Amino acid sequence: MAEVIARNLSRRYGEYIAIEDVSFHVKDGEFLTLLGPSGCGKSTTLGILAGLDRPDEGHLSIGGEVFFDGLTGVFVDAERRNLGLVFQTYALWPHMTVRDNVGYALRIRRIPRAEREKRIREALALVEMEQFIDRYPSQLSGGQQQRVALARTLAYNPRILLLDEPLSNLDAKLRDKARSWLRQLQTQLGVTTIFVTHDQIEALALSDRIAVMNKGRIVQIGSPREIYEEPASTFVADFIGTTNLIRGQVSEIADGIATITLSDGQSLRAVARSDLVAGGVALVACRPERIEVATTDAAGQNVLRARLIERTYLGARVLYEFGAAGNSIKVETPCELPEEADLHLPVDHCIAFPATEASTG
């Protein structure tokens, strides 16, 4: 069993707070992604899990074994944790063949030669690199080097996998293939995996759950669908994918639905977050792909009159930017839209947040 339990982890460097009060629970065999912008604390958190950094406070246990406890002073060194860490840079020894790179960790663990060769070949077979066993890193592509780095980690049967942006050095097409392959491999092995990235597409495509981080804290944890469809804040809504944030005044709140009046008198209805108050200023979040030109049936129901500002061709779809009451409203659709349009924003896809939240993102 390799569940991960982190409670109230904090790490400070002088006056700088890298992470604060970080807590999460990763179930055995789960794929959790730590997602957030640069400097949000995700790599610091991964380093603490790996034992490369020591937190100032909190508690960490993996597979039932306590690796850190701030109250008792317990701290287990990295080499005793048996965790697999794959870095953004593949860190392969250039003077060693693929065989020797993969077998290095086994050799320093004094695994007998025959068992070592068996594990090397099994690990390379898992990542479909067995035929390159006698090549040097300089003879491999970036994607192949990434697979060798992962095989090196898998060879010694780590209790969990820690992946620090391992796909970021690959080009776009290869990254797409690597995502699919990595997810299939993780499912096949059933190994608990914690993945760090700032790439939202990677997080949505790979994860069982996503922990969104900002300014050293976890601001929301949930499934990819929950994070995308039900963001807990304007930061999450704006960071994950593309969203519209439409400003207006809260006229009333009834049965969990807020009526938001825009500066030109037009109004929207949206699902109200619990901290929204009547009379306050709100930001209504709505995804561009949820907005469409109003039909007769939608007349008068969350419809905004808007004028086209810009049109961007994306291939299969077109991204339109409209203006309404001083707000920019993006619409993504394969359809051709007119210069002026009545835009329908479905109520159940609109979420109203207090506008003061925007300053915390």
Side-chain angles (χ1 to χ4, degrees):
M1 186 163 177
E3 67 175 358
V4 180
I5 299 174
R7 292 199 300 266
N8 310 115
L9 294 174
S10 296
R11 182 69 172 107
R12 293 176 291 275
Y13 302 98
E15 295 184 357
Y16 175 70
I17 300 174
I19 63 169
E20 185 173 17
D21 201 27
V22 168
S23 299
F24 55 87
H25 178 193
V26 189
K27 293 176 288 188
D28 185 37
E30 187 177 21
F31 194 120
L32 177 79
T33 294
L34 302 179
L35 174 68
S38 297
C40 71
K42 54 190 186 293
S43 290
T44 298
T45 303
L46 199 76
I48 287 172
L49 295 176
L52 303 178
D53 196 3
R54 179 171 182 152
D56 298 298
E57 300 168 7
H59 176 94
L60 173 66
S61 64
I62 298 177
E65 181 181 351
V66 176
F67 283 176
F68 172 76
D69 189 275
L71 295 178
T72 62
V74 170
F75 179 77
V76 176
D77 292 329
E79 60 267 24
R80 292 179 50 214
R81 297 191 179 194
N82 192 35
L83 309 180
L85 180 59
V86 179
F87 294 99
Q88 179 178 354
T89 53
Y90 312 129
L92 300 178
W93 296 102
H95 64 288
M96 291 184 182
T97 63
V98 167
R99 172 189 276 107
D100 293 336
N101 266 284
V102 175
Y104 181 76
L106 301 175
R107 185 159 57 84
I108 63 175
R109 285 171 167 80
R110 302 181 184 276
I111 303 297
R113 181 184 296 271
E115 175 66 15
R116 190 163 72 233
E117 182 69 13
K118 176 175 174 288
R119 289 205 201 176
I120 290 170
R121 290 191 174 275
E122 286 175 347
L124 288 173
L126 280 172
V127 301
E128 300 174 358
M129 286 292 293
E130 195 173 9
Q131 67 270 37
F132 300 101
I133 193 169
D134 293 318
R135 292 194 185 182
Y136 289 89
S138 61
Q139 298 172 306
L140 303 175
S141 69
Q144 290 170 336
Q145 290 184 52
Q146 183 253 345
R147 292 188 179 212
V148 172
L150 186 54
R152 178 179 56 191
T153 299
L154 295 174
Y156 59 85
N157 299 321
R159 65 176 83 191
I160 68 170
L161 275 180
L162 304 174
L163 307 177
D164 191 2
E165 304 204 45
L167 309 183
S168 61
N169 288 333
L170 306 180
D171 63 51
K173 278 197 170 183
L174 191 55
R175 194 160 59 242
D176 287 344
K177 291 181 180 178
R179 278 200 302 263
S180 176
W181 166 80
L182 180 59
R183 186 52 170 147
Q184 290 172 7
L185 179 64
Q186 192 271 339
T187 301
Q188 175 187 343
L189 296 176
V191 61
T192 307
T193 301
I194 299 177
F195 183 84
V196 160
T197 186
H198 63 272
D199 188 309
Q200 305 142 35
I201 301 300
E202 278 184 4
L204 293 170
L206 287 168
S207 313
D208 293 316
R209 287 189 303 147
I210 298 171
V212 183
M213 298 189 70
N214 186 35
K215 296 182 178 179
R217 291 179 174 269
I218 292 177
V219 293
Q220 186 174 359
I221 298 181
S223 70
R225 184 174 294 277
E226 288 169 342
I227 295 293
Y228 188 82
E229 300 283 357
E230 302 172 25
S233 65
T234 52
F235 170 78
V236 176
D238 197 35
F239 184 76
I240 307 297
T242 301
T243 198
N244 295 294
L245 294 173
I246 304 168
R247 181 177 291 267
Q249 188 91 16
V250 183
S251 302
E252 64 173 354
I253 304 174
D255 299 323
I257 302 296
T259 299
I260 313 298
T261 302
L262 278 57
S263 60
D264 64 354
Q266 298 190 83
S267 63
L268 285 175
R269 298 172 70 240
V271 177
R273 281 293 181 250
S274 59
D275 49 354
L276 196 71
V277 295
V281 179
L283 293 174
V284 177
C286 187
R287 299 287 183 186
E289 69 273 15
R290 298 298 187 183
I291 303 174
E292 56 190 15
V293 173
T295 62
T296 304
D297 292 341
Q301 300 193 22
N302 260 35
V303 173
L304 294 181
R305 187 68 176 168
R307 178 179 290 275
L308 183 66
I309 298 172
E310 188 176 12
R311 178 190 289 108
T312 304
Y313 178 69
L314 301 177
R317 303 175 74 81
V318 180
L319 182 64
Y320 296 87
E321 182 182 355
F322 285 88
N327 291 282
S328 170
I329 302 176
K330 292 181 171 63
V331 181
E332 189 173 332
T333 175
C335 303
E336 186 69 24
L337 300 186
E339 296 291 321
E340 289 193 20
D342 291 322
L343 302 179
H344 177 221
L345 290 70
V347 176
D348 55 348
H349 291 297
C350 293
I351 305 174
F353 298 94
T356 52
E357 257 195 22
S359 64
T360 68

